Amino acid sequence: MRVTSKMMTSNSLNNINRNKANLSVLANQYATQQKIQRPSEDPVIAVRSLKYRTSISELTQFAKKNVPDAMSWISNTESALTSVNDILTKMNTYFTQGANDTLETTERDALVQTLTEYKDQIFQCLNSDYAGRYLFTGYRTDTSLTFPEAATNLKYTITEPIKASDIQIFSYVKGELTDTGATDPSVYTGDAVSLDKSYRFSLSYNGVDNVQSIKDGNTELLTVGTISSSDPNRYDLDAYNNANGTSFEALVIKETGEVITNKAGYDKLKAAKDLSVQYDKTGFEKGDVRPEHYFTCQSEKYATDGSVVESKSFEAPAKQHIEYEVNFSQNITVNTLANECLNASIINQIDDIINQIEKVQNVEKKLSDIELKIKNGTHAPEEKDALVELKAQVENELALHKSVLQEKFGNGITTTSTAQASVNKAVADLGSRYKRLELTESRLQDQLTTFNEMLTSNDTVDIEEAVVNYTAALTAYNASLNATAKIAENSLLDFL
């Protein structure tokens, strides 16, 4: 085959270009430490790089954002529930002391103040928020658990489920001696006091307007009347019906939210399978729990002229669980609902104890007034025996109220212990979820490390190898230049 000078020159130039292109690629690798600069250089590396980067981006979202946010939410929730549990523990201590010992007057005064503060604080703890989102209100993260201000223009129709364990046989002091302020013993009016039993359950709210119905499923169970807390027959349904010519099967005490019945009504309630009470409440105090966070209800907002300006319906917040995606195809619930960890009726049950303490204090004051009259002698001699007898009756009344108070303290122990069990269950559930998040976080960190190593191995060159390859390419390029120079140095014309 004939080889011409032009062929040799062309081949040499092609070799120079090829070596120069290879030198350029290796120079870029050396400078950037990346294997490729464009996907067309190596599609396999490019595709793998995209997959690795996508996975790293997702893992970073999980590990650096979702998991820490979920852990913070759970941690804040657990902190709030721990505070509630501490309050319940302190209350339980007071109730245990009261159930086993007769508290002095100053101790009872302090206890009323303390219980009032604790009662207000319980749901304030559950009103906690995280990053502007309320922790215990389900999907309604923009709505506080309690009313931030008094809402006197709101009316709720509430459907509250009642459990059989909520229905109690309880003791109360029947009858009362009332002092009109004179020194004559005859001014103490009223029936002789005695201890009696009745049947009741408490609604979650006091100050109710009425009870519309008590149902077992869809079946009306009891007819309900309304009574005031000042009525002497408020705990005796049969006496109330006889005195007023009515035939109610239950009575609701508006001020306290207690529903009173008799033995027949009690038996019906205990036999019910799906017991619920529907009632109205108008006006809420600051710190009261919003009904929509616990119950199926309907609200109406009134204008100053009495017209309805807003009406809303709410379903009970069952299973309103907020989930975070913390790994590929792995979600975790971060929130806890208020109605899952604490019964709203605990407030009324605490109020019941506070009210009984106040009754004891009132009887003690009445006894002190009588003793003062006897001591001062501001009465006729023939009235002394009547005052002494009256003192004995009031002392008996005081003893009965104290026995009822001790019983209520015992009920308070049960109430707080049950509440603590529910709170502890919620805390344990949060703890298990937090542990899962820690394990997930650890696994995500391992996956991030692995994918970063794989990306590094896929995308970057070994710097030592890059230096060697670049040096070799540079040598080959220089050699091709040198060889071409020698080839092009002589031609046929030089010998003619």
Side-chain angles (χ1 to χ4, degrees), residues 260-333:
I260 308 301
T261 187
N262 53 17
K263 181 63 168 61
Y266 174 78
D267 291 339
K268 283 186 179 181
L269 293 172
K270 280 292 188 180
K273 303 297 183 183
D274 184 19
L275 188 61
S276 65
V277 181
Q278 188 175 72
Y279 58 96
D280 296 331
K281 175 174 172 57
T282 302
F284 293 83
E285 299 293 331
K286 179 181 179 181
D288 283 349
V289 177
R290 290 181 179 272
E292 61 264 32
H293 295 312
Y294 272 86
F295 310 114
T296 297
C297 55
Q298 183 172 348
S299 71
E300 292 180 340
K301 187 176 182 180
Y302 294 92
T304 53
D305 61 359
S307 61
V308 177
V309 295
E310 185 179 67
S311 181
K312 295 181 180 179
S313 295
F314 303 95
E315 291 294 328
K319 298 181 180 179
Q320 290 189 3
H321 295 156
I322 298 172
E323 293 187 340
Y324 274 40
E325 187 177 4
V326 295
N327 206 341
F328 300 105
S329 302
Q330 181 183 346
N331 296 343
I332 192 166
T333 300

Side-chain angles (χ1 to χ4, degrees), residues 7 39 65 88 114 182 207 214 240 377 470:
M7 291 174 60
K65 297 180 180 179
L88 292 172
T114 302
I214 299 177
Y240 177 86
Y470 175 75

Side-chain angles (χ1 to χ4, degrees), residues 36-102:
I36 61 174
Q37 306 302 314
R38 295 179 298 278
S40 58
E41 293 179 15
D42 193 328
V44 174
I45 290 178
V47 170
R48 285 178 180 171
S49 179
L50 288 174
K51 288 182 178 179
Y52 292 152
R53 290 176 188 278
T54 299
S55 297
I56 289 172
S57 177
E58 291 174 342
L59 288 170
T60 301
Q61 174 70 33
F62 294 144
K64 305 299 184 184
K65 297 180 180 179
N66 292 16
V67 169
D69 195 24
M71 293 178 79
S72 295
W73 188 305
I74 290 176
S75 180
N76 279 275
T77 302
E78 185 176 2
S79 177
L81 288 179
T82 300
S83 297
V84 172
N85 195 31
D86 291 341
I87 293 172
L88 292 172
T89 298
K90 293 174 182 177
M91 290 173 62
N92 193 285
T93 301
Y94 284 120
F95 294 156
T96 301
Q97 180 184 355
N100 294 285
D101 188 22
T102 303

